[in-house]
Amino acid sequence: MISFMIHVVVSLFAVSNPIGNVPLFITLTEGYSEKERTQTAKKAIIVSFIILIAFLLAGRLIFKLFGIDIHALRIAGGIFIFGIAYNLLNAKESHVQNPHSDEKAESKEKADVSVTPLAIPIIAGPGTIATVMSLTPGSQVALHMFAILIGIMIVLAMTYYAFQYSSFIMRKMGKTEMNVVTRLMGLILAVVAVEMIGAGIKGMFPMLMS
């Protein structure tokens, strides 16, 4: 069981990539106070936990109920991420990052990055959901389910602390460095998006890849 739990943690860590998401978190929370970044990180982790647990317990039922295919989810997530990547590559400012002085609170409320895009599709995205569902035994053995639950909690805790240390990173970075990171993350996200879309298309239309 210990070996299975290690396998779960390694698999989820590789897919969710907490360390690699730190620059994106820094970019999305640019202009936030340390307290606001902490609140954003906490909310993103809580929402991600709820999503992953929901798919752990009832993923197959949810997909069957709504007639959703995991490959379609990959394509939709890839398209969404590509939209984010496009904005980052062009260094477009969102309302949440640079709101007008008299609209600051309202704009942040309207563009809550903790749920979208941080929780989904970045942390609890199609790849992570697919990994959780693939690790779930068909008979839903209690010990295996518990091991996956613990694995999810460990990886999300790692993600939270990685985001927490982003405050230190932000204090060491200037505007120029931030712009470089923004465009670099945009490029990386664009590649990830294309790979997700490609994997989804390959899964839905295997005859096209033959």
Side-chain angles (χ1 to χ4, degrees), residues 102-193:
D102 60 353
E103 296 178 344
K104 187 174 182 180
E106 181 181 358
S107 62
K108 283 188 177 180
E109 183 179 353
K110 288 183 177 179
D112 186 357
V113 298
S114 61
V115 177
T116 303
L118 277 179
I120 186 167
I122 293 173
I123 301 175
T128 313
I129 291 172
T131 301
V132 168
M133 292 182 63
S134 66
L135 290 170
T136 305
S139 58
Q140 294 194 347
V141 180
L143 285 177
H144 281 198
M145 298 287 282
F146 180 73
I148 298 172
L149 171 63
I150 298 300
I152 290 173
M153 293 174 64
I154 291 173
V155 172
L156 290 182
M158 292 178 178
T159 303
Y160 174 74
Y161 284 109
F163 287 170
Q164 279 290 87
Y165 281 105
S166 69
S167 298
F168 172 79
I169 298 173
M170 289 188 72
R171 287 195 293 268
K172 298 297 182 180
M173 295 180 66
K175 186 66 176 179
T176 301
E177 289 83 355
M178 181 60 69
N179 286 336
V180 171
V181 170
T182 298
R183 287 175 169 81
L184 179 60
M185 286 309 302
L187 178 60
I188 293 173
L189 278 182
V191 174
V192 170

Side-chain angles (χ1 to χ4, degrees), residues 82-93:
F82 190 84
I84 299 171
Y86 179 81
N87 286 335
L88 293 179
L89 282 168
N90 290 278
K92 291 186 177 181
E93 298 178 345

Side-chain angles (χ1 to χ4, degrees), residues 55 58-77 120 126 129-130 133 204:
F55 279 98
R60 290 181 173 85
L61 178 61
I62 293 173
F63 274 51
K64 185 177 180 180
L65 182 63
F66 291 97
I68 301 174
D69 186 88
I70 188 64
H71 302 300
L73 183 63
R74 286 194 177 99
I75 294 173
I120 186 167
I129 291 172
M133 292 182 63
M204 290 188 72

